[in-house]
Amino acid sequence: MTTSQNSAPRDPGSGGAGAGAAGVPGALVGADWLAARLGAPGLVILDASVGAHRGADRRIPGARPFDLDGDLSDHDAPAPHTMPSPAAFTEALRTLGVHDTDTVVVYDGAGIYSSARAWWMLRAMGFDRAAVLDGGLPAWTAAGLPAESTGPAYEGPRGSFTARPRPGLLIGSAAVAAALADPSAAVLDARTRGRFAGTAPEPRPGLRGGHMPGAVNLPFGELQGPGGLMRPAAELRAAFGAAAGDRQQLRFSCGSGVTACVLALGAHLAGYRDLAVYDGSWSEWGMPSDRPVATGG
């Protein structure tokens, strides 16, 4: 079951560009901010690493596994990394010991890759007391901060987290098709330029190459600067302006709904608020079907 909907409300973030809810100063925190609060009551650190970084032997002290390749995705859905149901998400977060009143920092072993997906999922389930660690585990270790050997899965007390879904932050193909036809909306694709153009192979078998007609390519890595840190808000705004013009309704896609959330994070930091992520992304749209596909730049 997926929580994807066919319309997208305005992003519930408050304040100026990148401002966040109580507990975090914004959607992004630095290693120094987290290090100063390590071990504080009510602070939960979640490791959202995927792929080769999943289950790595080093972690930020006390981190708990937000397993996007495991129970934090709906494995009955045809596309990978599909958002689980609110009930399943609630159970997974309670198993991780997360309370509604906690402050959550998410990170991943690649830098900022899958951590943004965890942050967006939390927002889609009504939880705003969360931030992404800028630069992830690489930035943490580069700063000389402590890491520990990864132990068993979290075995502490259960939490009281309750999902309160916000329809529209995760959307389906019908809403994406509507956005492609809407001159006030932009669909931004976070995949590499080769995959977008159809000149590079898709990593998942059976998918067509290319992109949605009318979509614009903005590879997620272009939002990151030296050390894998997110670029400053002004540079992010310029990047989105170059891709989307003056359009304020931004819809994001990628391979499986993961790096699309890096674009959502960047757009949020840049001050955009009418944002949505295509949950199925190219893993759904690129399947053999009558959905249109274009190739080239």
Side-chain angles (χ1 to χ4, degrees), residues 112-166:
I112 295 184
Y113 183 80
S114 49
S115 52
R117 171 71 180 185
W119 170 78
W120 192 254
M121 291 168 70
L122 286 162
R123 293 177 67 77
M125 287 296 178
F127 186 86
D128 292 332
R129 299 173 62 91
V132 173
L133 177 62
D134 200 6
L137 185 60
W140 179 268
T141 56
L145 294 167
E148 65 180 12
S149 297
T150 300
Y154 174 76
E155 297 175 340
R158 285 174 59 83
S160 59
F161 176 92
T162 299
R164 297 171 176 84
R166 292 183 174 120

Side-chain angles (χ1 to χ4, degrees), residues 17-139:
V24 289
L28 196 68
V29 296
D32 55 349
W33 186 95
L34 180 58
R37 293 160 178 81
L38 203 62
L43 175 67
V44 175
I45 304 171
L46 299 177
D47 180 351
S49 300
V50 297
H53 296 281
R54 180 192 186 207
D57 60 359
R58 302 295 286 172
R59 68 183 181 190
I60 294 175
R64 307 170 193 178
F66 188 100
D67 192 1
L68 287 164
D69 288 329
D71 59 1
L72 267 303
S73 291
D74 180 359
H75 296 280
D76 292 328
H81 298 133
T82 297
M83 183 77 184
S85 70
F89 192 85
T90 293
E91 175 59 24
L93 270 290
R94 288 185 178 183
T95 299
L96 289 173
V98 179
H99 298 279
D100 288 324
T101 55
D102 284 337
T103 295
V104 173
V105 174
V106 293
Y107 77 92
D108 66 73
I112 295 184
Y113 183 80
S114 49
S115 52
R117 171 71 180 185
W119 170 78
W120 192 254
M121 291 168 70
L122 286 162
R123 293 177 67 77
M125 287 296 178
F127 186 86
D128 292 332
R129 299 173 62 91
V132 173
L133 177 62
D134 200 6
L137 185 60

Side-chain angles (χ1 to χ4, degrees), residues 2-9 82-84 117 120-121 124-125 166-172 257 261 275-280:
T2 176
T3 59
S4 297
Q5 303 291 329
N6 287 332
S7 61
T82 297
M83 183 77 184
R117 171 71 180 185
W120 192 254
M121 291 168 70
M125 287 296 178
R166 292 183 174 120
L169 269 67
L170 290 163
I171 58 175
C261 297
L275 311 175
V277 169
Y278 178 16
D279 204 14

